[in-house]
Amino acid sequence: MSLRHVMDAYDLLDDPGVDGEAAADWLRSHGADRVEVTRVTGESGRTDFLRCVVPGSEGRLAGGTAPTLGVIGRLGGLGARPEQIGFVSDGDGALTALATAAKLAAMRSRGDVLAGDVVISTHVCPDAPTMPHDPVPFMGSPVDMGQMNEHEVSADADAVLSVDTTKGNRVLNHHGFAISPTVRQGWILRTSEDLLGIVEQVTGRLPAVLPLTTQDITPYGNGVYHVNSILQPATATSAPVVGVALTTETAVAGSATGATDPRAVEQAVRFCVEVAKRFGRGTCSFHDAAEFDRLVELYGSMTHLQTAG
């Protein structure tokens, strides 16, 4: 159970004065000893990128070969001050990532050490700008997508979970969280059966899957519609990426306050933790690597979709 971590992280982040160092100190209080913060200033303000590494017993940091999982809390900002007062819906990605990091660090300090390393990253910005989007407004960010990917996508990750609020649409009418099909090097692949099983395990319900289009997995800034930024990390890595979408039945703006459901976030945290346990042990696959190689052999590389074109 991770509800305490979610509630405490929410209280921490729902503060106009919160910054990356405050979040890092909170993680350290839960046993995290590999946390770093980088402040980046953009045209619309500044934000603090945070990266936390939870070493595994057989991971690369221990000289082993167990695979590394990346967990990214994707968002524009935690708040839209002064336009809005309080924590916005868009902050759920950071909330999930930080609560996941705290839970994994606490587990490790108690002796429940995972096999593989886990790299959790997000950014902390309490006053991000908003931007127009259909059907409801999006949150913007003080930095561009290239800077986000640079600081959040770990080169060490063998697979990535990208957690993002995905409520501002009419293509997935489901309250809770959903996962996306696996995306790798420009290919939208089959939804992982292993991950679907973990969704069922942690929710006790049938899994929901976020539908994707080709344009959703192309880089921001190319002038085409994107459902949101959940798959933007897939443009910056060769590893398989799966979106973990915090969802609602109705279209809710990313800049809306009072829209975070701690039960849905807690389920997403438990999903990330369970994936981390199994991925490091080699009992959870994001995709069929042989089938991916066959697709490339038959139809060629799709890596041009990871570029601006």
Side-chain angles (χ1 to χ4, degrees):
M1 185 67 67
S2 304
L3 187 58
R4 180 183 299 277
H5 299 95
V6 172
M7 300 298 286
D8 288 348
Y10 184 93
D11 186 61
L12 170 79
L13 298 177
D14 187 19
D15 183 338
V18 70
D19 59 13
E21 289 297 338
D25 287 342
W26 181 74
L27 289 178
R28 294 182 186 110
S29 73
H30 285 80
D33 55 7
R34 291 176 178 264
V35 188
E36 57 185 46
V37 177
T38 305
R39 175 159 293 184
V40 178
T41 300
E43 293 183 0
S44 303
R46 69 186 186 189
T47 190
D48 290 339
F49 286 97
L50 181 148
R51 178 173 296 192
C52 174
V53 181
V54 182
S57 60
E58 302 169 38
R60 295 191 183 99
L61 289 173
T65 59
T68 299
L69 178 68
V71 179
I72 296 174
R74 175 64 68 170
L75 73 161
L78 304 171
R81 299 173 179 89
E83 182 178 336
Q84 298 276 29
I85 297 175
F87 188 88
V88 297
S89 176
D90 196 52
D92 286 358
L95 176 60
T96 303
L98 288 174
T100 298
K103 177 62 175 179
L104 290 174
M107 288 169 54
R108 187 176 189 277
S109 66
R110 292 171 176 174
D112 275 339
V113 183
L114 275 60
D117 303 335
V118 184
V119 183
I120 306 103
S121 56
T122 189
H123 73 102
V124 178
C125 177
D127 50 6
T130 59
M131 57 189 292
H133 188 268
D134 183 46
V136 290
F138 266 180
M139 287 290 294
S141 173
V143 297
D144 63 37
M145 192 58 65
Q147 291 171 300
M148 285 191 186
N149 284 338
E150 177 186 353
H151 291 280
E152 292 179 346
V153 181
S154 171
D156 296 326
D158 297 293
V160 176
L161 294 176
S162 175
V163 190
D164 197 351
T165 304
T166 311
K167 304 173 185 176
N169 65 81
R170 295 190 176 98
V171 298
L172 183 58
N173 311 120
H174 168 81
H175 183 87
F177 81 92
I179 62 171
S180 78
T182 300
V183 177
R184 185 182 181 195
Q185 296 179 35
W187 284 93
I188 301 176
L189 304 171
R190 175 185 178 185
T191 308
S192 165
E193 292 289 337
D194 291 339
L195 296 182
L196 289 172
I198 296 175
V199 175
E200 293 176 332
Q201 175 182 314
V202 301
T203 65
R205 303 177 66 89
L206 292 172
V209 177
L210 174 69
L212 293 179
T213 66
T214 302
Q215 62 207 64
D216 292 325
I217 69 169
T218 61
Y220 265 26
N222 59 5
V224 303
Y225 180 92
H226 295 74
V227 64
N228 68 350
S229 67
I230 191 167
L231 266 304
Q232 288 302 293
T235 67
T237 179
S238 61
V241 179
V242 168
V244 181
L246 277 301
T247 58
T248 45
E249 290 186 12
T250 60
V252 176
S255 57
T257 57
T260 294
D261 184 345
R263 297 165 299 179
V265 173
E266 195 274 336
Q267 286 188 338
V269 171
R270 278 191 284 124
F271 172 77
C272 293
V273 170
E274 293 304 313
V275 172
K277 291 178 185 177
R278 291 182 53 182
F279 186 72
R281 293 200 304 261
T283 60
C284 171
S285 175
F286 277 48
H287 74 313
D288 184 326
E291 188 171 79
F292 173 78
D293 291 341
R294 178 63 174 160
L295 284 168
V296 174
E297 178 186 351
L298 288 171
Y299 303 108
S301 171
M302 298 291 282
T303 55
H304 57 281
L305 291 173
Q306 295 179 282
T307 73

